[in-house]
Amino acid sequence: LRTEERQRLARERREEREKQHAAKETQILEKERKAKLQYEKQLEERQRKLKEMKQKEEQRRAAVEEKRKQKIEEEKERYEAVMHRTLERNQRLETRQKRWSWGGSVTPDSESKTALLSTGSKRSTSTANLKQAEGAVSKRLSSSAALLNASDRARRSQLSPLDSSVISRLLAPTQASLARSKSAATLSAD
């Protein structure tokens, strides 16, 4: 009986140990499963945050790029506006210079030409006066030039050829001075 009792007790102890061992194993497996789930959750969370950060960075870059493009477009428009204003100013200056130069026409557009033709008789008298004034101015200029030439010939004979050519160039009336005197004559005639 004692032997049987010992064997029974030994078998019960062994079964108890196996139960404990099995319980420990299940606990370990449960812990591993929970740890694995936790790790996967953390990994998913990290990936989600990384994705959000990437999206935010892409949005920020897109906004910066859009701002840069907009700034370039504004600068381009500003530059084109400046160029347009400069071209207009140059054209106005050119037309003004043509209007007041002797080479260009006094009336640049055809409407003013027709207006001149329609005023007819009024203008014809002022045109005759203008021609007379121009004739007087040109006579004065030619007589003054003749006087200058006569008095300067005596002096030039004493100078070297280089000096005499420089002085003759300086004394000759320029187109600008002739134009000024003509415009003064026309203003006085009006």
Side-chain angles (χ1 to χ4, degrees):
L1 284 171
R2 275 188 174 180
T3 315
E4 284 179 14
E5 187 69 26
R6 277 187 210 150
Q7 285 176 352
R8 189 179 62 79
L9 285 172
R11 194 170 48 243
E12 283 177 2
R13 278 192 297 248
R14 201 173 31 232
E15 285 173 359
E16 190 65 31
R17 272 198 309 267
E18 283 175 2
K19 279 182 186 175
Q20 286 176 355
H21 187 66
K24 275 184 182 177
E25 274 189 19
T26 53
Q27 280 179 351
I28 289 169
L29 287 172
E30 187 64 26
K31 276 184 182 178
E32 283 178 358
R33 191 181 65 80
K34 282 183 180 176
K36 192 177 181 183
L37 283 173
Q38 185 71 20
Y39 174 74
E40 285 174 358
K41 214 179 214 180
Q42 285 175 349
L43 197 65
E44 283 175 7
E45 187 69 22
R46 202 174 296 152
Q47 285 175 346
R48 188 182 59 78
K49 282 183 180 177
L50 280 170
K51 201 173 187 180
E52 283 178 3
M53 282 172 64
K54 272 186 182 178
Q55 284 177 344
K56 282 181 183 176
E57 184 67 23
E58 283 175 7
Q59 286 173 351
R60 190 187 64 79
R61 279 185 189 159
V64 166
E65 185 66 23
E66 187 63 33
K67 256 186 190 176
R68 190 181 68 80
K69 281 181 182 176
Q70 194 174 359
K71 199 172 183 181
I72 288 171
E73 192 64 32
E74 286 172 2
E75 285 177 4
K76 188 179 175 184
E77 285 173 5
R78 203 175 310 130
Y79 174 75
E80 285 174 357
V82 166
M83 288 299 292
H84 186 67
R85 282 197 301 269
T86 307
L87 286 172
E88 281 181 350
R89 197 178 307 130
N90 287 345
Q91 285 175 350
R92 279 198 303 267
L93 283 172
E94 282 176 12
T95 53
R96 209 176 291 157
Q97 286 172 354
K98 282 180 185 174
R99 199 177 298 149
W100 294 108
S101 71
W102 293 100
S105 63
V106 178
T107 55
D109 54 349
S110 60
E111 289 176 11
S112 55
K113 284 180 185 175
T114 55
L116 276 175
L117 291 172
S118 66
T119 54
S121 60
K122 291 179 188 176
R123 297 284 180 183
S124 62
T125 56
S126 63
T127 312
N129 290 340
L130 179 65
K131 285 180 181 174
Q132 287 175 357
E134 278 184 14
V137 167
S138 62
K139 281 179 187 175
R140 276 188 226 147
L141 284 173
S142 61
S143 63
S144 63
L147 284 172
L148 283 171
N149 286 339
S151 63
D152 286 339
R153 279 189 196 126
R155 277 190 235 143
R156 273 193 226 145
S157 63
Q158 298 167 357
L159 297 171
S160 69
L162 179 66
D163 290 340
S164 64
S165 69
V166 168
I167 288 172
S168 65
R169 278 178 54 205
L170 287 171
L171 289 174
T174 61
Q175 283 185 336
S177 64
L178 289 172
R180 279 196 297 274
S181 57
K182 278 184 182 179
S183 62
T186 56
L187 287 173
S188 63
D190 287 344

